[in-house]
Amino acid sequence: MTFQPPKGTDDLMAPQSQAWREVLSLWDEWSGRYGFPLVMTPVLESTELFRRAVGDTTEVVTKQMYTFEDRGGRSVTLRPEGTAGVVRAYLNSGHQGAWKGAYSGPFFRYERPQGGRRRQFWQVGVEYLDVEGPAADAEVVELGYRYLESAGVPNLELLINSLGDSECRPGYVAVLREYLRGKEAKLGEDSIGLIDVNPLRVLDSKADQPVLVDAPRMVDNLCDACSRHFEAVKTLVEGLGVPFTEDHGLVRGLDYYTRTTFEYVGRQLDTAQNAVGGGGRYDGLAETLGGRPTPGVGFALGIDRIVLSVGELDRPYLEAYLVSETGPEDALQVASRLRRDGVNVDFDSEGRSVKAQFRAARRIDVAVTLVWKGEGEPIDVQTKGGRQDVPLEEVSDWFKERT
Ligand code: AMP
């Protein structure tokens, strides 16, 4: 077969997919615990939605979208991020008042593929809408942190900043632009190109950091309301026992953020791709999309990078393998009984020799091999520690006692 998956996409199967399964089910658990029910929106949206929401001058929109015309002549785009679609869905639903949603699924960006950077990648995230108080920011920030911590991301760090709002940001942007113009001789070409269109994004430039150390900072230019909000968020997050660092250079790649912005970093990963996720407040986004004013806060976490930083699980995906001495039809019945009792077990349906069945068990590296000898006979339960006879109806209890 000569077909390969498209560049920047991967096939994923056991045993690597086991870590994904665990990390994703942990996400369902944590997001549910914080009161975020599932929200599912289309993978395909109208192109205009992302142009408006994410911003026409952002890299995501100018360089990375998978955009094409469908057979009806509409311009559609494979979603590059989750917030735009969820906010659109919320506005369409007619729901009034505070609303929570958690998502999990594939996203697409046409990027140069490398470790931790794929063209199809998986994000989980939450959006908390129609809430403006700092407690909402703190709750969302905490959820992301607790989840990443329990997934086992090593050297987890949380960075927090405030980007101000429509009240104070324009003034700051003007001051920053002025400063950057004065430094043009020392800035890279990409940064110079951004001074007019989006000077905040220059702060993101890795190469130009030496020039930017003395740049004016948003935190010094926040209006009173933004400043109070930022202080309150920090106090609340601290009170939750979540450690963080203020990073005044933290701006994020999407234009819709206001006030609180944050990023989760796993220092284990190499520096270019060490962000495992990020988010913030986007109080103006709903209006940009033509909806009523709806403040909101959320984040997105990259599962590909979380799995990379956690490492592969060496646990096999099966608890037990059933070897049948009386053929596959009996094994089918016995396995069914065990599965309904909660045992995670597989068997050979092709009627191969007992020896071949034991080989299969070893290949999967199961901890327990169950040998079916025939009707009325107990199951011969084999582990590294030895073997014992257990009646079929007691096998599931044997597993429960074992853990
Ligand atoms: P963003 O939506 O750009 O704020 O990204 C949030 C998180 O999604 C990042 O921190 C990454 O973990 C993940 N992510 C974004 N783009 C990619 C990509 N091309 N490949 C893998 N993960 C990605």
Side-chain angles (χ1 to χ4, degrees), residues 109 111 116-118 121 123 252 254 275-277 300-302 305:
R109 292 182 196 172
E111 301 200 70
R117 192 174 288 283
R118 318 296 301 152
F121 55 99
Q123 282 187 341
R252 303 193 23 81
L254 320 176
V276 289
L301 310 174
R305 288 190 202 166

Side-chain angles (χ1 to χ4, degrees), residues 85-113:
V86 172
V87 171
R88 178 196 55 64
Y90 169 84
L91 292 172
N92 290 349
S93 76
H95 185 97
Q96 300 283 332
W99 178 93
K100 283 177 164 177
Y103 61 84
S104 172
F107 291 82
F108 305 84
R109 292 182 196 172
Y110 195 81
E111 301 200 70
R112 197 166 61 77

Side-chain angles (χ1 to χ4, degrees), residues 8 60 64 80-82 103 107-112 114-124 252-254 256-257 262-264 269 273-279 299-306:
V60 169
Q64 299 176 345
E81 61 87 60
Y103 61 84
F107 291 82
F108 305 84
R109 292 182 196 172
Y110 195 81
E111 301 200 70
R112 197 166 61 77
Q114 46 190 301
R117 192 174 288 283
R118 318 296 301 152
R119 289 182 173 174
Q120 175 175 332
F121 55 99
W122 196 285
Q123 282 187 341
V124 300
R252 303 193 23 81
L254 320 176
Y256 47 60
Y257 289 111
F262 53 94
E263 201 155 271
Y264 304 100
L269 298 169
Q273 263 72 243
N274 65 7
V276 289
F299 64 66
L301 310 174
I303 295 296
D304 306 61
R305 288 190 202 166
I306 293 172

